[in-house]
Amino acid sequence: MPDLRLEQVTFAYPGDVRVFGPPGLTLELKAGATALVGENGAGKTTLTKLLNGLLRPTTGNIVVAGQPVAERTVAQMAALVGYAFQNPDDQLFQRTVYDEVAFGPRAMKRPAERVAVAVKNALERCGLSQEAKTHPHDLGLPDRKWVTIASALAAESPVVVLDEPTLGQDWAAKGRLKALVKSMVDSDRLVLIVTHDLDFVAEACSRTVVLTRGVIRYVGPTISAFADEGMIHEAGLDLPSTTRLGLALGFQPVPVGEGAFLRAIGSKR
Amino acid sequence: MTAALTMRGVRYRYPDTTDYVLDGIDIVVQPGEWLGVVGATNAGKSTFCYAAMGLATEFFHGRLIGEIEVLGTEVRRQTVIERSTRVGMLFQNPFTQVSGARERVDDEVAFGPENHGLEPALVKARVAEALQQVGLSELRDRHPLDLSGGQLQRLALASLLAMHPELLLLDEPTSQLDPGGTKELFEALSRLHAAGVTIVMVEQKLEAVAELCDRVVALAQGRILADGTPARVFNDAAVQQQVGAPIYVRLAESVGLPSPWPTTFETAVRAFNA
């Protein structure tokens, strides 16, 4: 099962810049789409980099898909955690989009045939089939972002981390992304989405983790997270548009997402 | 009154390419307007800003056809450095913007005014004012590269504000910001708008565009698809299809409310209550 467990994890950057102090983060997630939300500087990206061994905790244990991260190399973890960085330029270094997306599975020494199928599939689903031979840096930011997402897909890992996937994406692309997350969830993967886009969270993530200044403030269903308006505002977040509108219209229970909003208005009429 | 920005028959393509990224733009932006520029990916939104700033011709080179006047001066008759005393451009990625030469936030903000020869006392006052406008006063002694993405974006804006620009060109200014930072930035921009600064803002958050901007231009394939008030532009079927619209439009349409559909929170509350 692609599950993920953090036990009393503390972490500080060199120079004693503490992100997660004692008693440390304890968190358990299962397959499905989980949003990781919180203010700039809350520790969201740091947390995700602990999952694939890019950063190592000061104390505590992390187990991903049954594997203790402390005993694995970053290369070994890459097969378990596909990762799309927030800034694509931190990640992209191959000469073509195809090679970029194929880099992970090739490095994992997967059979050429399987790599070819995975890459083709990932490019297709990310709308990049026409760009296979393009140099990643000739693409605009939103498309470079899609290349990182395609790379995470092609790794066929049980856990996928998407850091700010909606950044710079237009309306149509967000719809495509939502469908992609759903299909990953349907194939029983654990998708962790770091984002400030709360409308996207409302549409695509059934569970939410709220992080504030290095402390987990909430873990649970997305619906209940946004029902607690006080907690959301304290965490420096906002309500999804559908929830805010539902509240103003006096809908009970408070709708989260377009589907819930339309059901609420349907039952009122 | 001299227009803040005029484009006449503007077409532009990057070097070594055949497609015009801007393909026949005609627009006049009046002083004091807050113009939202929206469009799908690759519609030409960033290039629109680069062209207005003069970067398209001076930095990227490429081929520009037509005329662009910024605050009354043809864009090719002035350098970007000369223009930057009156026009500020904020890039999508704030890492592109910080000088890299300064080790403190306040020194970074002072970079522009100092290089344009302002007196030290005036530089100091401008820096304090700009940091306060973007809510970074408390971080003034930090190293710019120790800031979070959102703080860095606000630092980049402060560096522009210290020049007291008449025209701001903003390329997705909130894309790196959290909801709190987004709200702060929009509040800072609202104050500048109230003070008469002209703002041209590329933005994907269509709800914010509808709430804040006086006027919206929707771009598609380098052309203007629609130009007008947010309420009008986001009720245009072609815009809805190719660019999108605030979520309220989609909800109202799904529920079967009569059009025109609401584009802002307040109008949505009224429409759904009716």
Side-chain angles (χ1 to χ4, degrees):
Chain A
M1 271 302 276
D3 56 359
L4 188 159
R5 222 163 62 234
L6 280 80
E7 290 160 352
Q8 300 180 314
V9 169
T10 66
F11 177 79
Y13 283 101
D16 209 22
V17 182
R18 184 194 279 178
V19 183
F20 306 123
L25 296 184
T26 296
L27 176 66
E28 196 171 336
L29 296 176
K30 302 221 175 291
T34 298
L36 177 57
V37 299
E39 295 172 288
N40 284 132
K44 304 186 296 293
T45 297
T46 303
L47 193 162
T48 62
K49 286 183 177 169
L50 288 164
L51 301 181
N52 60 0
L54 276 179
L55 295 174
R56 300 290 181 174
T58 313
T59 61
N61 290 314
I62 303 171
V63 180
V64 175
Q67 308 287 321
V69 180
E71 293 164 26
R72 300 286 178 272
T73 63
V74 174
Q76 286 170 329
M77 287 311 298
L80 294 176
V81 184
Y83 196 109
F85 281 73
Q86 178 176 1
N87 182 358
D89 302 334
D90 291 344
Q91 179 169 359
L92 303 177
F93 57 95
Q94 296 288 313
R95 299 169 80 106
T96 67
V97 166
Y98 188 96
D99 286 343
E100 189 63 58
V101 175
F103 180 81
R106 278 175 183 161
M108 292 169 215
K109 307 234 181 325
R110 297 215 170 120
E113 239 168 71
R114 181 175 164 196
V115 174
V117 172
V119 173
K120 183 169 176 282
N121 193 8
L123 291 178
E124 238 169 61
R125 289 165 67 190
C126 294
L128 291 169
S129 295
Q130 305 298 318
E131 309 288 355
K133 288 178 183 162
T134 308
H135 195 294
H137 289 278
D138 288 338
L139 296 171
L141 175 69
D143 279 338
R144 293 209 299 284
K145 201 79 210 180
W146 276 106
V147 175
T148 68
I149 296 166
S151 301
L153 261 184
E156 297 183 311
S157 52
V159 176
V160 177
V161 176
L162 306 177
D163 197 348
E164 294 286 358
T166 65
L167 204 82
Q169 304 292 350
D170 61 29
W171 190 13
K174 282 188 196 180
R176 196 149 26 102
L177 198 57
K178 180 187 163 188
L180 193 61
V181 170
K182 187 176 181 303
S183 77
M184 287 193 274
V185 170
D186 287 345
S187 58
D188 214 26
R189 294 161 92 176
L190 190 161
V191 189
L192 185 62
I193 301 173
V194 178
T195 185
H196 293 313
D197 189 337
L198 302 171
D199 283 341
F200 186 75
V201 173
E203 297 307 320
C205 304
S206 60
R207 295 177 72 80
T208 292
V209 175
V210 178
L211 200 60
T212 48
R213 292 185 199 109
V215 176
I216 292 175
R217 185 64 213 276
Y218 175 89
V219 187
T222 298
I223 299 174
S224 321
F226 290 120
D228 188 348
E229 201 186 346
M231 184 271 288
I232 288 297
H233 285 146
E234 264 175 56
L237 299 169
D238 222 333
L239 296 174
S241 307
T242 45
T243 308
R244 203 168 142 240
L245 192 57
L247 264 178
L249 295 169
F251 291 173
Q252 280 299 337
V254 179
V256 176
E258 290 181 36
F261 181 89
L262 295 175
R263 280 194 299 280
I265 205 160
S267 65
K268 207 183 161 204
R269 286 179 167 211
Chain B
M1 200 156 50
T2 310
L5 172 66
T6 306
M7 291 192 186
R8 284 188 215 99
V10 167
R11 304 180 74 207
Y12 175 79
R13 62 174 159 86
Y14 286 97
D16 307 319
T17 59
T18 48
D19 294 344
Y20 282 88
V21 179
L22 300 178
D23 200 7
I25 302 280
D26 286 281
I27 190 169
V28 178
V29 183
Q30 296 299 343
E33 269 192 303
W34 188 344
L35 175 75
V37 180
V38 301
T41 299
N42 301 328
K45 305 186 297 294
S46 294
T47 307
F48 181 88
C49 292
Y50 297 150
M53 191 64 203
L55 288 166
T57 36
E58 190 178 322
F59 179 74
F60 294 108
H61 305 289
R63 179 164 165 77
L64 177 70
I65 300 170
E67 288 164 38
I68 304 176
E69 270 176 28
V70 183
L71 301 170
T73 306
E74 161 60 35
V75 83
R76 283 160 286 202
R77 299 180 69 92
Q78 206 177 31
T79 64
V80 172
I81 297 288
E82 288 166 338
R83 190 168 306 107
S84 67
T85 60
R86 298 175 70 195
V87 183
M89 171 158 179
L90 191 68
F91 293 85
Q92 205 171 48
N93 182 350
F95 291 96
T96 348
Q97 193 123 21
V98 290
S99 69
R102 300 294 174 105
E103 294 186 352
R104 281 171 58 113
V105 162
D106 48 7
D107 287 342
E108 175 68 32
V109 178
F111 189 81
E114 281 173 3
N115 277 298
H116 281 93
L118 263 69
E119 289 171 43
L122 192 54
V123 172
K124 213 176 156 203
R126 289 272 187 100
V127 169
E129 175 197 56
L131 286 175
Q132 201 246 328
Q133 277 173 312
V134 302
L136 280 183
S137 301
E138 282 169 22
L139 301 180
R140 70 176 81 83
D141 58 355
R142 294 273 286 274
H143 194 291
L145 296 181
D146 285 341
L147 300 181
S148 71
Q151 291 163 341
L152 203 60
Q153 188 85 299
R154 281 186 282 154
L155 170 59
L157 180 64
S159 301
L160 302 181
L161 297 184
M163 301 297 292
H164 283 187
E166 293 159 63
L167 169 62
L168 281 175
L169 304 166
L170 312 172
D171 191 2
E172 298 197 32
T174 67
S175 64
Q176 312 273 338
L177 302 188
D178 61 24
T182 300
K183 200 164 156 249
E184 277 171 31
L185 189 107
F186 282 142
E187 281 166 2
L189 294 177
S190 296
R191 287 192 294 272
L192 293 166
H193 176 56
V197 176
T198 310
I199 304 174
V200 172
M201 178 174 81
V202 173
E203 181 59 64
Q204 294 283 7
K205 295 187 178 86
L206 304 180
E207 290 79 14
V209 169
E211 301 282 351
L212 298 167
C213 297
D214 309 310
R215 175 180 169 195
V216 182
V217 160
L219 297 181
Q221 287 99 44
R223 299 198 182 122
I224 293 178
L225 192 62
D227 179 354
T229 62
R232 205 184 71 78
V233 169
F234 289 127
N235 268 288
D236 182 305
V239 172
Q240 287 164 4
Q241 204 194 349
Q242 295 183 49
V243 179
I247 191 168
Y248 313 115
V249 170
R250 201 156 62 226
L251 293 173
E253 184 185 9
S254 303
V255 169
L257 294 188
S259 64
W261 293 306
T263 56
T264 64
F265 180 74
E266 294 302 330
T267 55
V269 171
R270 280 205 299 277
F272 284 109
N273 262 330

